[in-house]
Amino acid sequence: MDALHTAGIRFAEALQSGPPWLEKFWISVTSLADPKSIFTVCFPLAYFLDRKVGVSVLWIGLVSEWLNVVLKWFLFGERPFWWVHESGLATKELVMLRQFPVSCETGPGSPSGHCMITGAALWPLVTALTALASRHSRSLVMNLTPFGAYTLLQLAVGLSRVFVLAHFPHQVVGGILAGAALGWGLQARTPATCTSGFFMATALALLLSSLALHSLVIAAGIDIDW
């Protein structure tokens, strides 16, 4: 893993050595793609356009948020900003990295929550836009535009997370793949006809199960808060 982490550090160095204007771009992307935006921006907009799509965005966002936390507890995953010092790489080799206000994230880093949760929750919105485009145009370019934008967004989010030293590249790739798989798998299983009480009960169940799982892992002697 050290070789993989070192390669990730070198990749982050290459990203940070780009033009100065890119710094603001990457920081803006990582801020806008924060998972909470799924609930505060994407869900209301999707619900306004189509109720079923909005509920699907909310449902997938809820489940993927919970699953991301659980996966991080079991996969752990170093954070580049901390690893470069804890591993001793900074004392052995010349490391040209810059710190940003969003660099010092704590907790396990695998898989990337930004990529996984955003990618999963936006999937139903992208498929809905693709279906809408196909009904109004036979142009292949128009039909592929929503998924093309989705792919570019995920790529930009992933690169931004590496740029600010929040994640290694392999954690970003894992988050992107997990997000797409979750979005694809859960979209057809959205409880669109359920009441708000169902979603409140589900959220409570996920919260309590997380707390219970956290306690069990700690009791087993595994320090997931390392």
Side-chain angles (χ1 to χ4, degrees):
M1 287 300 294
D2 282 350
L4 186 62
H5 288 149
T6 301
I9 293 297
R10 297 309 176 193
F11 184 73
E13 283 183 312
L15 275 179
Q16 290 191 358
S17 65
W21 61 268
L22 269 178
E23 178 179 324
K24 291 184 178 180
F25 173 74
W26 292 131
I27 293 177
S28 296
V29 169
T30 200
S31 298
L32 292 173
D34 190 284
K36 65 175 177 285
S37 297
I38 293 298
F39 305 100
T40 59
V41 179
C42 296
F43 161 63
L45 288 176
Y47 192 88
F48 175 77
L49 295 173
D50 185 279
R51 181 186 181 278
K52 185 177 181 180
V53 175
V55 172
S56 186
V57 169
L58 178 64
W59 172 251
I60 296 175
L62 180 69
V63 175
S64 59
E65 179 90 48
W66 174 82
L67 186 59
N68 182 255
V69 171
V70 174
L71 285 176
K72 284 181 176 177
W73 286 347
F74 286 94
L75 297 178
F76 292 98
E78 300 279 356
R79 298 276 188 173
F81 175 78
W82 306 105
W83 181 86
V84 73
H85 299 289
E86 293 174 351
S87 65
L89 180 67
T91 60
K92 299 174 184 176
E93 303 178 25
L94 179 63
V95 178
M96 301 294 292
L97 291 174
R98 285 176 291 143
Q99 176 186 351
F100 304 96
V102 291
S103 293
C104 306
E105 291 197 26
T106 58
S110 188
S112 166
H114 276 63
C115 294
M116 178 177 170
I117 299 165
T118 301
L122 288 183
W123 188 272
L125 184 58
V126 171
T127 54
L129 291 174
T130 301
L132 181 64
S134 65
R135 287 197 298 267
H136 290 81
S137 174
R138 293 185 177 181
S139 169
L140 181 62
V141 174
M142 285 295 295
N143 293 340
L144 292 178
T145 296
F147 272 102
Y150 171 87
T151 302
L152 289 176
L153 174 64
Q154 283 290 80
L155 179 62
V157 172
L159 290 175
S160 74
R161 300 303 287 160
V162 176
F163 180 87
V164 300
L165 306 181
H167 290 288
F168 287 98
H170 69 277
Q171 297 171 345
V172 163
V173 172
I176 291 174
L177 295 178
L182 269 176
W184 176 79
L186 292 177
Q187 182 180 3
R189 297 171 176 80
T190 299
T193 59
C194 294
T195 64
S196 58
F198 167 81
F199 291 99
M200 292 178 65
T202 301
L204 181 61
L206 293 177
L207 173 62
L208 294 177
S209 65
S210 298
L211 295 174
L213 183 60
H214 184 278
S215 299
L216 287 174
V217 174
I218 293 296
I222 302 175
D223 182 13
I224 58 177
D225 296 321
W226 58 276

